[in-house]
């Protein structure tokens, strides 16, 4: 058995000791896991992203192609903005660093929103608009009916608007009740999938401990 | 007048038979809806109470005829004689009130009117609580007017508390005296006729009509249970039931108003004896009347005290002093009788004669001050109610010495009344109780015995009062001090503080501490220390203790009475509480004024803590102490504490998985066999066929987006996919959106290439792969990768090992993402899977719209392998008219199917993947979970069913 295996085995057992109760060893392993994960992320990001690009820019210092090559220009500007962003460490309210942060957040939000709209919302809405008869078979018909009813009732569950007297229409009122059951079924399915996934992780650990390397 | 009374049409509750105001929609007693209930007329007082040959009825005083409901809502404090009474009320109608006001019962009306007159304050708008209050006022025997709670104090939400002037206040005496000059005619006639017995007799008969009603009202005996005090009384009910002694207010009226009740059955014995109806007054028992008082000779009319006869104080001082029967007196009282001549002021005790206390010397013996004839001023209001009804006569005229009407009337029967012994306190008429019965359960037995021995030394009448006082004191110990809404008692307290007594004396109501004999002093000290206390619950239910800041004689509001009428919902409960407490109130009435105002009032929290300490220290708390303070058992029993239901499930699951793993070590599944016989799903088959159908040397992009938490699921799948790609000679490029994913990608690439190279030693085929490593920015990085040239997205980048990307064989012919023929997504997290799906969909849409666009074209296929935890999200993109993914593999089960497909293709990877062992273990684990879910639901349903039953 190698040292890494022994360390990994001990840490595995320590983490599973949480099933008995919270203990300092578990918390130590937890902190160690977080620290190692962050350390790996920093190292990977620096050596895999930052350092190669800095070297590339340094190699282009004599050719003056930074201002002629758009890719290099954007890379150089990204470097400048990254340096300005570091001012947040000492000057939290610095306008320049806030601007850089605004660019990052704004761009990320715009891209995410566009991707969600085009990649998820519209395709899902289109996938819901199916004919109830499907391909003519009974399972297809039942499946499409369940699909339409499930979508409508689930959306009505989140419909909180009512009349002045507090009442709601029959679709919103009774559909919300039915939609609640659809939501519960979906949660149950997700819970089952998570359980299988966690059992796979448990098996992976047992397999690891049973096959020392 | 009887017809006038018929116009009150309250609504009788069909449920509780209670009477409610005409405009009530819900019963004030039980909450029953009164919609549709018919109004019920209140019958007038029975005619038997009225003299058939009564002469024309004299005008009824307003304060007697006007019901409590009809009184003005609020008004300035006025002397009882401040205003002339209006003409007799022809119609008794309740004044519309903001809140529904039930028609007060005759008792409530009479009592409320009297209380109003005595208190000098117009009561608040009547409601149900007020009706109950007035009724209670009239029902509590032995209370003086000042003892009774004021309307504003009782119903704080109805009427803002206003300072109420005590009728015994000296400053009001003068006002009353001035107002008496403008008294009503009928009162003047009464005064004028007081010297003529015959006329007075006629006047008394004439006044029966209105006074009988008052008497009938005041003699209302509330039902013992099930009926609220505030519930109006049907006066038509026969009055054969034994009557309670009339309240103090009525007693004063009887003293002051010329009236002879006709029905002797409707009067208590003591009242009948006062009236002289019986030829021989009943001999008071030793329990009911102090011996020295019983032995007093019947004084003649000339022996009346000044405040009763109206004579000057000088005249009364010349009255012969009565002789006492020393044999009936306790020893300490006999000593007093022998050492000190009887008071010459009157034949009444000195404390009853109202002598001023300012000049009284401090008592030097154990004799109480009230026995020595020096009554402190502060004890005027703290004297027993039945004794304090006639207040001290400060100066002539005589009518000013009596509160209300007392001094206005002089009648022969009143003189006869004065000649009789004073009515005995109701407490004295209570059945004799044993001392052991009196002490609460919390008092130790030995302490109770000591107290009982001490009580044996006391005279019977004092013993009864002492017991009641102790009971009230113990019940008071847990009553929370409440702010005094009125300031009328401050003066009394200040006087008590400024009382010139020797040294620091604690005023214990009527009796100072130093005035008490030794046996009684110890008792008082014990009460002040709170050694005798009742349980909190009992004290809450039965407390009638006055507030500490109030004088003994002033009104107080018990908590249960304060809560009366707080809301409609609480009306019934409060009325029941008032009914239940009325008995106790009547029992404790004589003792309440004697309770010290300086008694320690502790907060409820403190009381609870002390009660808990007493409970723990009691012998019966052994079980409680052992269960609460016991030490945790050690050993096996202590370990069993950790075996909770969830931990049992954990242990059971571990046991099943380990057992299945150990028993399934062999390739054939061991003794368990291969219970899992996976079938290749269409999605897995499509995944497999997509890789198989790629052209040779096709570039493939593989995304390793899983971390260590999904390693158990996605590492086998990643290895299988890489081996499949390598076997088909695909050029593989890996990228990851996670830093750790790039490392795992590198690890799997090396492992798969090593295995592939080991398996392809003789063929000479080489594989080409490239690990781009970590792609930062999530959506932004994916967007740049999907829509722009790779050169822009990968400017200045190197592979995971730091080698430059230029010249890499894996990137040959690849400038954009669309140049890849296949994109394989290995997603461990649903968020990253959604990001890939969204950006790839956006790239495909852009490709369709822009003719010469870059991005993912239709020729680029996308397959995805993911963990089971991400399946719910990934399923959104698997269906639809144009699904993004042409194949998918979910979790280990999908991996097993994929490995089975590889086996069928002659690429056996079972030994590397451990498929058979894993399949058995996961199968047993899932079976266990299904069984646990079923059992849990059965237990849940059984509990639900049992709860419904």
């Amino acid at each position: 058995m190698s040292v890494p295996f022994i360390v990994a085995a001990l840490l595995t057992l320590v983490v599973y000791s949480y099933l008995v109760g919270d203990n300092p060893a578990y918390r130590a392993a937890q902190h160690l896991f977080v620290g190692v994960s962050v350390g790996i992320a920093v190292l990977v990001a620096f050596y895999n992203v930052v350092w190669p690009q800095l070297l590339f820019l340094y190699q282009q210092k004599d050719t003056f192609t930074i201002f002629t090559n758009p890719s290099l220009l954007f890379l150089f500007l990204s470097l400048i903005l990254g340096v300005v962003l570091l001012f947040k460490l000492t000057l939290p309210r610095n306008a320049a660093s806030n601007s850089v942060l605004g660019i990052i957040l704004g761009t990320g939000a715009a891209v995410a929103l566009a991707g969600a709209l085009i990649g998820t919302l519209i395709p899902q809405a289109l996938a819901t608009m199916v004919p109830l008869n499907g391909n003519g078979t009974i399972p297809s018909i039942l499946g499409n009916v369940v699909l339409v009813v499930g979508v409508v009732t689930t959306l009505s569950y989140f419909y909180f608007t009512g009349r002045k007297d507090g009442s709601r229409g029959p679709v919103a009122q009774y559909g919300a009740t039915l939609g609640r059951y659809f939501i519960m079924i979906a949660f149950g399915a997700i819970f089952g999938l998570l359980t299988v996934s966690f059992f796979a992780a448990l098996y992976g650990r047992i397999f690891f401990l049973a096959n020392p390397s | 007048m009887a017809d006038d009374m018929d116009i009150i049409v309250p609504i009788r509750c069909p449920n509780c038979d209670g009477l409610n105001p005409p405009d009530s929609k819900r019963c004030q007693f039980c909450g029953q809806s009164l919609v549709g209930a018919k109004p019920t007329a209140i019958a007038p007082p029975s005619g038997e109470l009225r003299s058939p040959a009564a002469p024309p009825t004299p005008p009824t005083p307003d304060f007697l005829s006007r019901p409590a409901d009809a009184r003005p809502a609020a008004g300035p404090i006025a002397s009882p004689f401040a205003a002339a009474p209006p003409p007799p009320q022809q119609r008794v109608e309740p004044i519309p009130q903001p809140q529904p006001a039930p028609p007060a019962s005759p008792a409530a009306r009479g009592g409320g009117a009297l209380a109003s007159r005595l208190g000098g304050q117009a009561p608040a708008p009547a409601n149900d609580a007020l009706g109950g209050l007035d009724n209670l006022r009239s029902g509590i025997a032995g209370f003086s007017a000042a003892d009774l709670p004021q309307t504003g104090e009782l119903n704080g939400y109805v009427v803002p508390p206003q300072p109420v002037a005590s009728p015994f206040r000296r400053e009001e005496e003068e006002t009353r005296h001035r107002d008496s000059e403008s008294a009503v005619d009928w009162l003047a006639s009464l005064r004028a006729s007081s010297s003529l017995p015959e006329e007075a007799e006629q006047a008394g008969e004439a006044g029966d009509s209105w006074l009988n009603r008052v008497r009938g009202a005041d003699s209302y005996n509330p039902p013992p249970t099930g009926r609220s005090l505030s519930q109006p009384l049907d006066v038509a009910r026969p009055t054969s039931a034994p009557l309670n002694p009339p309240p103090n207010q009525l007693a004063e009226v009887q003293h002051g108003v010329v009236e002879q009740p006709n029905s002797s059955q409707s009067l208590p014995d003591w009242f009948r004896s006062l009236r002289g109806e019986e030829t021989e007054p009943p001999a008071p028992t030793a329990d009911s009347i102090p011996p020295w008082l019983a032995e007093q000779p019947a004084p003649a009319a000339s022996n009346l005290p000044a405040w009763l006869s109206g004579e000057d104080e000088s005249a009364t001082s010349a009255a012969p002093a009565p002789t006492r029967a020393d044999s009936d007196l306790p020893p300490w009282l006999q000593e007093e009788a022998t050492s000190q001549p009887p008071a010459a002021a009157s034949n009444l005790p000195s404390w009853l004669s109202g002598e001023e206390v300012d000049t009284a010397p401090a008592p030097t013996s154990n004799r109480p001050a009230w026995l020595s004839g020096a009554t402190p001023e502060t004890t005027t209001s703290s004297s027993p109610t039945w004794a304090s009804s006639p207040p001290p006569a400060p100066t002539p005229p005589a009518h000013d010495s009596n509160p209300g009407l007392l001094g206005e009337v002089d009648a022969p029967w009143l003189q006869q009344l004065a000649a009789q012994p004073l009515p005995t306190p109701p407490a004295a008429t209570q059945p004799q109780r044993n001392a052991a019965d009196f002490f609460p359960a919390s008092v130790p037995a030995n302490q109770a015995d000591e107290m009982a021995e001490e009580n044996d030394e006391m005279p019977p009448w004092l013993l009864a009062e002492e017991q009641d006082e102790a009971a009230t004191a113990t019940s008071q110990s847990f009553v929370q001090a409440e702010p005094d809404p009125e300031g009328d008692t401050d003066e009394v307290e200040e006087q008590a503080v400024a009382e010139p007594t020797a040294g620091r004396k604690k005023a214990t109501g009527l009796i100072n501490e130093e005035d008490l004999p030794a046996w009684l002093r110890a008792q008082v000290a014990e009460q002040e220390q709170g050694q005798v206390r009742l349980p909190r619950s009992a004290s809450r239910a039965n407390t009638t203790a006055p507030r500490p800041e109030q004088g003994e004689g002033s009104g107080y509001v018990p908590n249960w009475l304060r809560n009366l009428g707080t809301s409609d919902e609480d009306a019934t409960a409060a009325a029941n509480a008032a009914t239940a407490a009325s008995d106790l109130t009547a029992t404790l009435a004589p003792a309440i004024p004697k309770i010290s105002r300086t008694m320690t009032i502790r907060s409820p929290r403190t009381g609870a803590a002390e009660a808990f300490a007493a409970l723990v220290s009691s012998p019966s708390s052994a079980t409680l102490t052992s269960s609460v303070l016991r030490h945790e058992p050690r050993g096996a029993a202590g370990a069993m504490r950790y075996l909770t239901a969830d931990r049992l499930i954990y242990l059971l699951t571990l046991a099943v998985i380990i057992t299945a793993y150990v028993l399934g070590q062999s390739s054939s599944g061991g003794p368990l066999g291969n219970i899992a016989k996976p079938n290749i799903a269409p999605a897995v088959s499509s995944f497999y066929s997509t890789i198989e159908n790629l052209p040779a040397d096709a570039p493939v992009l593989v995304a390793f987006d899983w971390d260590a938490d999904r390693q158990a699921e996605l590492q086998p799948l990643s290895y299988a996919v890489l081996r499949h790609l390598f076997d088909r000679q695909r050029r593989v490029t890996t990228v990851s959106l996670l830093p750790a994913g790039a490392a795992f990608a590198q690890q799997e690439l090396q492992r798969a290439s090593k295995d592939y190279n080991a398996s392809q030693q003789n063929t000479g085929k080489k594989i080409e792969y490239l690990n781009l490593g970590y792609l930062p920015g999530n959506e932004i990085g994916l967007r740049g990768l999907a829509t722009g040239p790779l050169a822009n997205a990968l400017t200045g980048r190197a592979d995971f090992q730091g080698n430059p990307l230029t010249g890499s064989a894996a990137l040959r012919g690849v400038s954009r993402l669309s140049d890849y023929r296949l994109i394989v997504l290995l997603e461990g997290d649903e968020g990253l899977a959604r990001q890939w799906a969204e950006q790839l969909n956006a790239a495909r849409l852009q490709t369709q719209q822009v003719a010469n666009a870059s991005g993912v074209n239709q020729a680029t296929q996308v397959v995805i392998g993911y963990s089971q935890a991400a399946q719910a999200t990934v399923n959104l993109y698997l269906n639809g008219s144009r699904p993004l993914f042409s194949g998918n593999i979910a979790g280990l089960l999908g991996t097993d199917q994929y490995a089975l497909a590889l086996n069928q293709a002659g690429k056996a990877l079972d030994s590397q993947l451990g498929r058979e062992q894993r399949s058995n273990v996961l199968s047993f684990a899932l079976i266990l979970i299904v069984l646990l879910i079923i059992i849990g639901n059965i237990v849940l349903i059984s509990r639900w069913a049992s709860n419904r039953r």
Side-chain angles (χ1 to χ4, degrees):
Chain A
M1 291 187 294
S2 61
V3 175
F5 171 80
I6 295 174
V7 173
L10 288 176
L11 290 176
T12 300
L13 295 177
V14 166
V15 170
Y16 278 121
S17 68
Y18 183 76
L19 297 177
V20 179
D22 195 4
N23 54 85
Y26 165 76
R27 288 196 291 271
Q30 191 179 28
H31 296 165
L32 181 62
F33 173 76
V34 173
V36 169
S37 300
V38 173
I40 290 176
V42 170
L43 289 177
V44 169
F46 181 78
Y47 285 106
N48 195 199
V49 179
V50 177
W51 184 248
Q53 293 181 337
L54 285 176
L55 287 179
F56 181 74
L57 285 177
Y58 181 76
Q59 292 171 0
Q60 304 296 326
K61 64 179 186 303
D62 296 333
T63 59
F64 296 102
T65 58
I66 295 177
F67 302 102
T68 57
N69 189 346
S71 300
L72 289 177
L73 180 59
F74 280 115
L75 187 62
F76 181 75
L77 290 177
S78 302
L79 178 63
I80 298 299
L81 295 178
V83 172
V84 172
L85 187 60
L86 292 177
F87 290 164
K88 293 287 290 184
L89 297 175
T90 56
L91 300 172
R93 298 182 179 275
N94 184 265
S97 58
N98 286 339
S99 301
V100 175
L101 193 59
I103 291 173
I104 295 174
L105 296 178
T107 306
V111 172
L113 183 61
L117 184 63
I118 299 174
T120 301
L121 186 59
I122 294 177
Q124 292 302 313
L126 293 175
T128 307
M129 300 175 187
V130 295
L132 292 179
N133 57 357
N135 54 10
T137 61
I138 294 179
S140 176
I141 295 173
L142 291 179
N144 289 344
V145 169
V146 170
L147 175 66
V148 172
V149 172
V151 170
V152 172
T153 55
T154 302
L155 290 177
S156 63
Y157 178 79
F158 297 98
Y159 183 76
F160 302 110
T161 305
R163 301 188 182 97
K164 290 183 178 179
D165 58 351
S167 62
R168 297 190 298 176
V171 176
Q173 183 176 359
Y174 299 106
T177 303
L178 185 59
R180 185 169 180 269
Y181 288 99
F182 276 100
I183 294 173
M184 291 296 108
I185 292 173
F187 286 165
I190 293 173
F191 172 75
L193 294 173
L194 286 173
T195 302
V196 174
S197 180
F198 294 149
F199 272 129
L202 176 60
Y203 170 78
R205 286 296 91 191
I206 293 177
F207 184 83
F208 169 77
L209 294 174
N211 298 277
S213 57
Chain B
M1 187 172 295
D3 295 335
D4 296 337
M5 299 296 291
D6 287 337
I7 62 174
I8 300 176
V9 283
I11 301 176
R12 186 179 297 278
C13 176
N15 184 27
C16 65
D17 204 28
L19 296 180
N20 298 276
D23 54 349
S24 296
K25 297 181 179 179
R26 191 171 292 276
C27 180
Q28 58 183 340
F29 306 105
C30 62
Q32 177 73 20
S33 176
L34 298 179
V35 176
K38 296 180 178 180
T40 303
I42 294 180
S46 58
E48 60 182 347
L49 297 176
R50 186 185 310 173
S51 175
T57 304
T60 304
D62 176 57
F63 70 93
L64 289 177
S65 62
R66 186 168 37 177
D69 297 344
R71 292 190 296 256
I77 301 174
S79 175
F81 305 123
Q89 296 286 330
Q90 298 302 321
R91 296 176 64 87
V92 182
E93 293 179 349
I95 297 175
Q97 303 295 336
Q99 297 182 358
S105 64
R109 289 196 298 270
L114 288 172
S116 173
R117 301 298 289 182
L118 292 173
Q121 180 191 20
N127 60 355
D128 50 348
L130 180 59
L133 167 63
D134 292 338
N135 198 354
L136 187 64
R137 281 182 172 181
S138 61
I140 299 175
F143 275 15
S144 65
D147 289 334
L148 291 174
Q150 300 303 322
T151 304
E153 188 178 358
L154 281 173
N155 305 284
Y157 71 99
V158 175
V159 177
Q162 298 180 2
V164 180
S166 173
F168 308 111
R169 293 283 172 84
R170 190 174 301 169
E171 56 270 20
E172 289 191 358
E173 299 288 341
E174 300 176 2
T175 305
R176 199 173 302 149
H177 173 62
R178 292 193 302 268
D179 294 335
S180 63
E181 301 298 332
S182 60
V184 292
D185 297 336
W186 64 274
L187 287 176
S189 62
L190 286 176
R191 284 198 300 270
S193 62
S194 60
S195 59
L196 301 176
E198 295 80 9
E199 296 179 4
E201 186 69 18
Q202 294 176 0
E205 293 177 359
D208 283 346
S209 58
W210 59 271
L211 193 56
N212 282 340
R213 192 170 72 250
V214 175
R215 184 179 61 245
D218 288 340
S219 61
Y220 163 59
N221 188 16
T225 56
R227 191 177 183 89
S228 170
L229 281 175
S230 59
Q231 188 169 351
L233 174 67
D234 188 359
V235 297
R237 183 180 304 169
T239 58
S240 58
L243 301 176
N244 289 339
N248 180 47
Q249 299 88 336
L250 183 57
E252 293 173 359
V253 171
Q254 289 167 343
H255 282 273
V257 179
V258 179
E259 189 272 337
Q260 292 286 349
N262 293 331
S263 177
S264 59
Q265 294 180 355
S266 60
L267 296 177
D269 296 335
W270 62 269
F271 193 76
R272 275 183 276 133
S273 63
L274 291 176
R275 295 177 53 195
E277 289 184 357
E278 298 179 2
T279 57
E280 182 176 344
T285 60
D287 296 338
S288 59
I289 300 177
W292 59 270
L293 196 60
E295 290 297 328
Q296 289 180 355
S302 58
N303 294 334
L304 284 175
W307 56 272
L308 281 178
S309 60
E311 297 177 3
D312 293 339
E313 189 172 348
S314 58
T316 57
S317 62
T323 59
R324 297 178 181 175
D326 296 339
S327 58
D328 294 337
L329 294 176
W332 55 274
L333 201 56
Q334 292 178 3
E335 179 183 357
E336 165 67 18
T338 56
S339 61
Q340 184 175 354
S346 66
N347 55 356
L348 292 176
S350 58
W351 54 270
L352 195 57
S353 60
E355 289 187 9
E356 295 299 327
V357 297
D358 294 338
T359 58
T364 56
S365 64
N366 291 336
R367 287 182 292 103
W370 55 273
L371 284 178
S372 62
T375 304
E377 184 178 358
T378 55
T379 60
T380 302
S381 58
S382 62
S383 60
T385 309
W386 51 272
S388 62
S389 296
T395 54
H399 60 268
D400 285 340
S401 62
N402 295 322
L405 302 173
L406 198 56
E408 302 292 330
V409 180
D410 191 6
W413 71 270
L414 186 59
Q415 298 174 0
Q416 193 176 12
L417 181 149
Q420 296 297 329
L422 291 175
T424 57
T429 60
Q430 296 294 327
Q432 185 68 28
R433 293 172 297 177
N434 296 327
D437 297 335
F438 162 72
F439 295 114
S442 60
V443 178
N446 53 357
Q447 190 175 357
D449 294 337
E450 294 176 358
M451 298 173 66
E453 292 176 2
E454 294 175 355
N455 292 334
D456 292 337
E457 303 175 4
M458 298 162 54
W461 60 274
L462 191 56
L463 175 62
E465 291 187 359
E466 191 65 29
Q467 291 174 353
D468 292 335
E469 180 181 1
T472 308
T474 53
S475 63
Q476 186 194 21
S477 59
F478 292 103
V479 176
Q480 183 180 7
E482 297 177 2
D484 186 13
E486 302 174 358
D488 56 341
T489 59
D490 295 340
E491 183 182 353
V492 179
E493 275 198 8
E494 291 174 359
Q495 292 177 358
V497 172
E499 188 176 4
T501 56
R504 178 63 178 172
K505 295 194 301 181
K506 292 183 178 180
T508 57
L510 179 65
I511 306 172
N512 292 327
E513 182 178 357
E514 296 181 3
D515 299 336
L516 297 175
W519 54 270
L520 193 55
R521 189 182 305 168
Q523 182 75 8
V524 171
E526 191 177 22
Q527 293 176 4
E528 292 181 353
Q529 293 176 1
Q531 295 177 0
V532 181
R533 61 179 69 93
L534 290 173
R536 185 179 181 180
S537 58
S539 65
R540 276 190 170 184
N542 302 329
T543 179
T544 56
R547 293 193 303 261
E549 62 270 18
Q550 284 185 310
E552 291 85 352
S554 60
Y556 67 94
V557 181
N559 291 334
W560 56 267
L561 196 54
R562 187 181 296 275
N563 294 331
L564 276 176
T566 53
S567 62
D568 294 340
E569 292 76 10
D570 296 337
T572 303
N576 294 334
T579 303
S582 61
D583 297 337
L584 181 64
T585 303
T587 303
L588 301 178
I592 287 174
K594 291 186 176 182
I595 295 176
S596 170
R597 70 168 69 92
T598 60
M599 181 162 288
T600 303
I601 304 298
R602 291 161 297 176
S603 64
R605 188 177 299 277
T606 305
E610 293 179 357
F612 180 73
L615 181 63
V616 171
S617 61
S618 63
S620 60
S621 63
T623 305
L624 174 65
T625 306
S626 61
S627 61
V628 174
L629 304 178
R630 65 182 180 182
H631 296 286
E632 292 296 335
R634 300 175 183 275
M640 291 299 293
R641 187 169 58 92
Y642 293 98
L643 289 179
T644 57
D646 51 347
R647 289 182 177 131
L648 285 175
I649 292 176
Y650 298 153
L651 292 178
L652 188 60
T653 305
L654 275 176
V656 169
I657 289 178
I658 292 174
T659 302
Y661 179 79
V662 171
L663 296 179
Q665 283 292 326
S666 64
S667 59
S668 61
L672 300 176
N674 294 324
I675 61 173
K677 300 182 181 304
N679 297 320
I680 301 174
V684 175
S685 178
S686 176
F687 191 102
Y688 175 82
S689 60
T690 301
I691 295 176
E692 284 287 327
N693 296 331
L694 288 176
D697 202 22
V700 176
L701 178 66
V702 180
F704 277 77
D705 293 333
W706 51 269
D707 208 337
D709 56 344
R710 305 298 180 199
Q711 183 180 7
E713 279 188 284
L714 293 177
Q715 186 180 20
L717 179 59
S718 301
Y719 177 81
V721 169
L722 289 178
R723 282 294 305 269
H724 192 193
L725 292 174
F726 288 160
D727 288 340
R728 297 306 175 198
Q729 296 294 315
R730 313 298 185 235
R731 291 181 293 165
V732 177
T733 302
T734 62
V735 69
S736 177
L737 296 177
L738 298 173
F744 282 115
Q746 186 67 26
Q747 178 182 342
E748 294 305 314
L749 283 173
Q750 292 178 352
R751 177 188 172 198
S753 62
K754 180 181 177 181
D755 292 344
Y756 172 79
N757 291 331
S759 64
Q760 301 293 331
Q761 291 179 354
N762 299 326
T763 59
K765 295 182 180 179
K766 290 186 178 180
I767 56 173
E768 296 175 350
Y769 65 88
L770 174 66
N771 184 11
L772 292 176
Y774 173 56
L775 181 64
N778 289 335
E779 292 96 344
I780 299 175
L782 285 177
R783 184 73 174 180
L785 183 66
T787 58
L790 289 180
N792 294 340
L794 301 176
T795 301
R797 291 291 302 270
D799 64 357
F800 188 76
Q801 294 177 328
N803 301 320
L805 297 179
T806 57
S808 173
L811 293 178
R812 188 175 62 247
V814 176
S815 61
R816 296 177 181 275
L817 190 61
S818 59
D819 294 335
Y820 285 105
R821 302 300 300 273
L822 177 64
I823 297 175
V824 180
L825 303 178
L826 301 176
E827 304 297 328
D829 184 69
E830 58 181 5
L832 297 178
R834 185 173 57 251
Q835 291 179 12
W836 271 104
E838 290 176 350
Q839 298 305 322
L840 291 179
N841 266 329
R844 292 176 63 182
L845 184 61
Q846 187 177 5
T847 303
Q848 293 175 356
Q849 294 176 352
V850 181
N852 211 7
S854 60
V856 181
N857 54 31
Q858 297 298 323
T860 302
Q861 298 180 349
V862 181
V863 294
I864 184 172
Y866 49 90
S867 69
Q868 298 254 301
Q871 186 172 0
T873 302
V874 174
N875 281 338
L876 300 176
Y877 306 99
L878 296 179
N879 301 316
S881 58
R882 286 191 327 111
L884 176 64
F885 304 116
S886 56
N888 65 88
I889 297 175
L892 284 178
L893 296 178
T895 302
D896 291 343
Q897 296 176 15
Y898 185 67
L900 183 60
L902 291 176
N903 287 339
Q904 293 175 357
K907 303 295 180 183
L909 300 176
D910 290 346
S911 59
Q912 291 84 359
L913 299 177
R915 183 184 63 87
E916 294 178 352
Q917 295 177 2
R918 182 173 60 242
S919 297
N920 277 341
V921 171
L922 292 181
S923 298
F924 279 108
L926 292 179
I927 290 171
L928 173 65
I929 291 299
V930 169
L931 290 177
L932 290 176
I933 290 174
I934 293 173
I935 292 173
N937 280 277
I938 291 174
V939 172
L940 183 64
I941 292 173
S942 62
R943 287 184 179 179
W944 175 72
S946 61
N947 291 335
R948 288 200 66 182
R949 287 195 296 268

